[in-house]
Amino acid sequence: MDGAGGPRVTAAMVAERAGTSVSTVSLVVNGKSRGRVSPAITERVRTAVHELGYVVDHAASSLARGRTDLVVLLAPDLPNPYFGRVTTGIREALGDRHQLMLSVIASGTQPGADDVRRVAAFRPAGLLVHAPSPTFLDELDPGGPPLVLLDAPGFEDRAATVTFDLRPGVRALVGHLAAAGHRTIAYLDGATPSATFAVRRAWLREIAATHGITVLGAGDDPDRPPAATGHARDGSAGSDRARDGSTRSARTPDHSTRPDRAPDDSARSARTPDGSTRSDRTPDGSAGPVRAGLSLDAAADTAVGAIPGWLDAGATAVVAAADTLAYGVLAAAHRLGLDVPGDLAVAGFDDLPYSQVTAPPLTSVALPAEELGRAAAHRLTALLTGTDTPGPAPLASRLAVRASTAPP
Amino acid sequence: MDGAGGPRVTAAMVAERAGTSVSTVSLVVNGKSRGRVSPAITERVRTAVHELGYVVDHAASSLARGRTDLVVLLAPDLPNPYFGRVTTGIREALGDRHQLMLSVIASGTQPGADDVRRVAAFRPAGLLVHAPSPTFLDELDPGGPPLVLLDAPGFEDRAATVTFDLRPGVRALVGHLAAAGHRTIAYLDGATPSATFAVRRAWLREIAATHGITVLGAGDDPDRPPAATGHARDGSAGSDRARDGSTRSARTPDHSTRPDRAPDDSARSARTPDGSTRSDRTPDGSAGPVRAGLSLDAAADTAVGAIPGWLDAGATAVVAAADTLAYGVLAAAHRLGLDVPGDLAVAGFDDLPYSQVTAPPLTSVALPAEELGRAAAHRLTALLTGTDTPGPAPLASRLAVRASTAPP
DNA sequence: CTGAAAGCGCTTACAG
DNA sequence: CTGAAAGCGCTTACAG
């Protein structure tokens, strides 16, 4: 009960028992004995290791080696089931070569300088950061470990990044809504200032515009940090202007694989409206962004307040930045006595499994979470072994059509 | 890109810059300088630390100290949103004194000896294990770190444990179902052999029996390990017999706080039927347990196969061991063209937030996940500081009644 | 094929 | 109040 944990077994104890030296023990337990240690001694060491229950001390080992097998994942939003799926993919692709350490950040918070510090103390072999905010990246120690960002559109120039190509899904969603006769739709954004949310909003507005659809609450992002570093604009879906003005040298070689540069993309749609400098920090009526915490309950509360205004402004549909937010909209609609999709259509992003069984089943832009995790892990191991390639093509999104957006 | 990470800053570098020794640097960065280092030098060290961006190397520090600030959480089921909530509670209660490291196990798998080994290498200050299986505990190195089990009913004698008192919730559920006229209900169990599932099943059957309700698929657990160690029975809700026969000395002093010994508990209901030695590994018709993986899709597939048989056997309701399983039952009912609750009532355990918006909203035994996490973290820190008390009272469950169990 | 020894970056008594 | 030195448990050249 006193935390002692008993006398720890050391290599010296194993060596003594096997009648050999610690050097030899080290060789054997690290699988480097082939041709360096006689089979007889190797066997004796193995036996002693088993009998004593010896485990190589991680701290001592990494101190001596000068490196770690640790991959740290900065986890900003553990309670979101989406995140769990990403982690599953990472774990799967990382295999046994690396120990995955999940650094849990307080829920609803973004990773701060302190979190980065604490993580740095572990000298991780690599760092994985999911849906980072622009400011988080600026806090990173420039001499830090190899880094892969997940779902961080617009940061391709700053670090190795694995992203989604949101356009197929958003196009399908907008086309679907347009066909159902919607002309004004509202957008419920996530309260987290992550780049991925900014891009979801930007693409939706952009593509909706080509259909003559107005999107309430999808104006410029007032939380985007000022363009001081020249990266701020990259936080959006990316504009040619911002990229051309960049002084970054470590670019992703293959620009054509980036979601905003795909061959089938017209010049117009490649430029997102976020390139504009207009500030709407002063809410311009019903067009101001509405943000909600990522939990169902928080989103429901926010939506209950926002829906009446949206309806007054003529909205017939709501798109939420994440499925968990969309669930909140469903709950809010219920509380307000509104029929979905009769009075209000609802759609989300992510396509969580639970969206199959909501009332009504939720239309959602499906984002392949586990694939994202796998791709990021592969990218990181490539980085660590020096075999990194330009970066995989962005992972395609698609639309899962369900009853929540059925024509009234 | 080569993983170098630049020259790491050491205490020696800080010392040189501050014109002092590494001993002094160590004192200052560890906040032990009060009255041991002059204010002037302390200040110089602080400045140097900032300028150089020095971070104490975790490996070297813990090697020198002989202990770690690491708390490792063995995470068997990350994708389950329930688990994320538990983790949030842990993180919250742990504060800054400990670094939480989530050791992610392959999804759907139970932690194995290898996982335990890998974790042992980190010499964690403490270990947190969520919903362990009985065999997992047996793999633990006896000389391991202080340990707290979460949602591990029946293991109170083997380790510090934080559990739920399932009875209030299950009683309410059974009463509710009985009032609605259900006489035969089916049980969908989780495929994971964790003790908590065994107890959920046992209490349901036990309490249902007092109402004259038959529970299909809630027979004895064929996966319960043989009673070789004398602990096997403790894996159930616990029987006096098993406990009296125990040779364990490190008991929880206050037995009256244990869920199976609460004052209002009758002698009969305190003994669960799992105390029986009858084996039903050979399926005895429709009464054999039906188990499903914890994902919605896996559960749906299983349920599609099982529901017809349940209906034939006269079942009018299904209780699932977890909400994610219950979602699968909802999906399966839909596929089979059944109305819920008209043709089949459905209920789950956990009360995930999403259960508010399912079709229909799901009745569920609410288990306070974050509270569980918080309580476990508090228990562990108490253990580490030697101030451990008999153990908190089990956390009360309650019933969230929703439309999925409304009378037809 | 095997082992003595240096060194990884800290912390902690222990002298001054 | 301050610093030199030992030692934490490994790994890795380096001699034999």
Side-chain angles (χ1 to χ4, degrees):
Chain A
M1 282 294 195
D2 58 356
R8 63 171 67 168
V9 180
T10 68
M13 297 164 71
V14 174
E16 190 187 346
R17 179 164 200 134
T20 181
S21 69
V22 290
S23 320
T24 303
V25 172
S26 177
L27 254 21
V28 172
V29 296
N30 288 301
K32 297 178 181 173
S33 59
R34 242 315 11 146
R36 320 245 289 103
V37 180
S38 70
I41 291 197
T42 299
E43 198 44 43
R44 289 218 308 271
V45 170
R46 291 236 167 82
T47 304
V49 164
H50 262 93
E51 291 173 345
L52 262 29
Y54 172 68
V55 178
V56 179
D57 184 280
H58 190 269
S61 173
S62 61
L63 185 59
R65 283 183 207 267
R67 59 195 162 71
T68 302
D69 65 344
L70 228 50
V71 168
V72 174
L73 169 61
L74 252 16
D77 186 27
L78 244 207
N80 191 336
Y82 188 77
F83 190 77
R85 294 169 65 207
V86 173
T87 307
T88 298
I90 292 172
R91 179 64 229 256
E92 199 180 305
L94 230 37
D96 289 328
R97 282 183 59 97
H98 296 283
Q99 171 74 18
L100 178 61
M101 172 167 159
L102 240 162
S103 183
V104 182
I105 309 299
S107 179
T109 303
Q110 291 299 112
D114 280 353
D115 299 300
V116 180
R117 276 277 159 107
R118 210 175 298 141
V119 160
F122 286 91
R123 317 279 180 213
L127 208 53
L128 254 19
V129 184
H130 184 253
S133 71
T135 55
F136 166 70
L137 271 180
D138 294 328
E139 292 168 348
L140 265 190
D141 180 14
L147 176 72
V148 173
L149 306 179
L150 292 77
D151 196 8
F155 289 99
E156 293 85 349
D157 292 341
R158 304 185 72 185
T161 303
V162 180
T163 53
F164 295 123
D165 183 359
L166 296 169
R167 286 169 314 163
V170 175
R171 282 204 186 109
L173 173 61
V174 171
H176 172 71
L177 292 174
H182 297 282
R183 289 294 163 256
T184 303
I185 65 184
Y187 187 70
L188 180 61
D189 206 353
T192 310
S194 56
T196 186
F197 283 152
V199 174
R200 292 175 195 190
R201 187 180 58 237
W203 280 123
L204 180 68
R205 186 184 45 188
E206 181 73 16
I207 294 172
T210 67
H211 286 260
I213 292 179
T214 304
V215 183
L216 307 176
D220 289 345
D221 185 351
D223 287 344
R224 181 67 43 70
T229 65
H231 295 305
R233 283 178 182 135
D234 277 356
S236 77
S239 74
D240 291 338
R241 218 186 326 159
R243 211 157 45 240
D244 291 344
S246 168
T247 57
R248 228 43 48 185
S249 57
R251 297 187 168 196
T252 303
D254 188 2
H255 279 170
S256 71
T257 63
R258 295 171 50 167
D260 49 325
R261 300 296 291 276
D264 64 316
D265 194 26
S266 75
R268 187 176 180 297
S269 68
R271 170 159 308 157
T272 72
D274 275 2
S276 147
T277 57
R278 179 178 71 85
S279 163
D280 57 2
R281 186 170 282 292
T282 304
D284 48 33
S286 62
V290 177
R291 301 164 178 290
L294 285 178
S295 75
L296 191 159
D297 292 328
D301 290 343
T302 301
V304 163
I307 288 176
W310 285 336
L311 293 177
D312 285 349
T316 53
V318 177
V319 175
D323 275 6
T324 54
L325 297 175
Y327 298 161
V329 175
L330 293 179
H334 186 76
R335 279 194 225 163
L336 295 170
L338 297 170
D339 178 60
V340 176
D343 300 319
L344 193 66
V346 179
F349 277 82
D350 286 347
D351 193 26
L352 299 180
Y354 318 121
S355 296
Q356 301 169 42
V357 295
T358 54
L362 185 74
T363 293
S364 186
V365 175
L367 306 178
E370 294 192 18
E371 252 183 77
L372 184 79
R374 275 195 296 269
H378 283 139
R379 186 86 199 268
L380 184 60
T381 46
L383 230 38
L384 296 178
T385 55
T387 59
D388 190 39
T389 47
L395 306 170
S397 59
R398 56 174 193 79
L399 185 68
V401 179
R402 300 199 183 90
S404 69
T405 52
Chain B
M1 282 294 193
D2 57 356
R8 63 171 66 170
V9 180
T10 68
M13 296 165 71
V14 174
E16 189 187 349
R17 179 164 199 135
T20 182
S21 70
V22 291
S23 318
T24 303
V25 171
S26 177
L27 254 22
V28 172
V29 297
N30 287 302
K32 298 178 180 172
S33 59
R34 239 331 351 157
R36 320 246 289 105
V37 180
S38 70
I41 291 196
T42 299
E43 197 45 42
R44 289 217 308 271
V45 170
R46 291 237 167 83
T47 305
V49 164
H50 261 93
E51 291 173 344
L52 262 31
Y54 172 67
V55 178
V56 179
D57 185 279
H58 190 270
S61 173
S62 62
L63 184 59
R65 285 183 204 267
R67 59 194 162 73
T68 302
D69 66 343
L70 229 49
V71 168
V72 174
L73 169 61
L74 253 16
D77 186 26
L78 243 207
N80 191 336
Y82 188 77
F83 190 78
R85 294 169 65 207
V86 173
T87 307
T88 299
I90 293 172
R91 179 65 228 254
E92 200 180 305
L94 229 38
D96 289 328
R97 281 182 60 96
H98 296 283
Q99 172 72 19
L100 178 62
M101 174 167 159
L102 240 162
S103 183
V104 182
I105 309 300
S107 179
T109 303
Q110 290 301 108
D114 280 351
D115 300 299
V116 180
R117 276 276 159 109
R118 210 176 297 142
V119 160
F122 286 91
R123 316 281 179 210
L127 207 53
L128 254 20
V129 184
H130 184 254
S133 72
T135 56
F136 166 71
L137 271 180
D138 293 329
E139 293 168 347
L140 265 189
D141 180 15
L147 175 73
V148 173
L149 306 179
L150 292 78
D151 197 6
F155 290 98
E156 292 87 348
D157 292 341
R158 304 185 72 184
T161 303
V162 180
T163 51
F164 295 123
D165 182 359
L166 296 168
R167 287 168 313 162
V170 174
R171 284 205 185 108
L173 173 61
V174 170
H176 172 70
L177 292 174
H182 298 281
R183 290 292 164 259
T184 303
I185 65 185
Y187 187 71
L188 179 61
D189 206 354
T192 310
S194 55
T196 186
F197 283 152
V199 175
R200 293 175 194 191
R201 187 182 58 238
W203 281 123
L204 179 69
R205 184 186 45 189
E206 180 73 15
I207 294 172
T210 69
H211 286 261
I213 293 179
T214 304
V215 184
L216 306 176
D220 288 345
D221 185 351
D223 287 345
R224 180 71 40 72
T229 65
H231 295 303
R233 282 178 182 136
D234 278 354
S236 78
S239 73
D240 290 338
R241 218 185 329 157
R243 212 158 43 243
D244 290 345
S246 170
T247 57
R248 229 46 47 186
S249 57
R251 296 187 170 194
T252 304
D254 187 2
H255 279 169
S256 70
T257 64
R258 294 173 50 170
D260 50 324
R261 300 297 290 277
D264 64 319
D265 195 26
S266 76
R268 187 178 181 296
S269 68
R271 170 159 310 156
T272 72
D274 276 1
S276 145
T277 57
R278 178 178 71 85
S279 164
D280 55 4
R281 186 170 281 293
T282 304
D284 48 34
S286 61
V290 176
R291 303 164 176 287
L294 285 179
S295 74
L296 191 158
D297 293 328
D301 289 344
T302 301
V304 162
I307 288 176
W310 285 337
L311 292 177
D312 284 350
T316 54
V318 177
V319 174
D323 275 6
T324 53
L325 296 176
Y327 299 161
V329 175
L330 292 179
H334 185 76
R335 280 193 224 163
L336 295 171
L338 297 171
D339 178 61
V340 175
D343 298 319
L344 194 66
V346 180
F349 277 84
D350 286 348
D351 193 26
L352 297 181
Y354 317 122
S355 297
Q356 300 170 42
V357 295
T358 52
L362 185 73
T363 293
S364 186
V365 175
L367 307 178
E370 295 192 16
E371 251 183 78
L372 184 78
R374 274 195 296 271
H378 283 139
R379 187 87 198 267
L380 184 61
T381 47
L383 231 39
L384 296 178
T385 56
T387 61
D388 190 39
T389 48
L395 306 170
S397 58
R398 56 174 193 79
L399 185 68
V401 179
R402 301 201 182 87
S404 69
T405 51

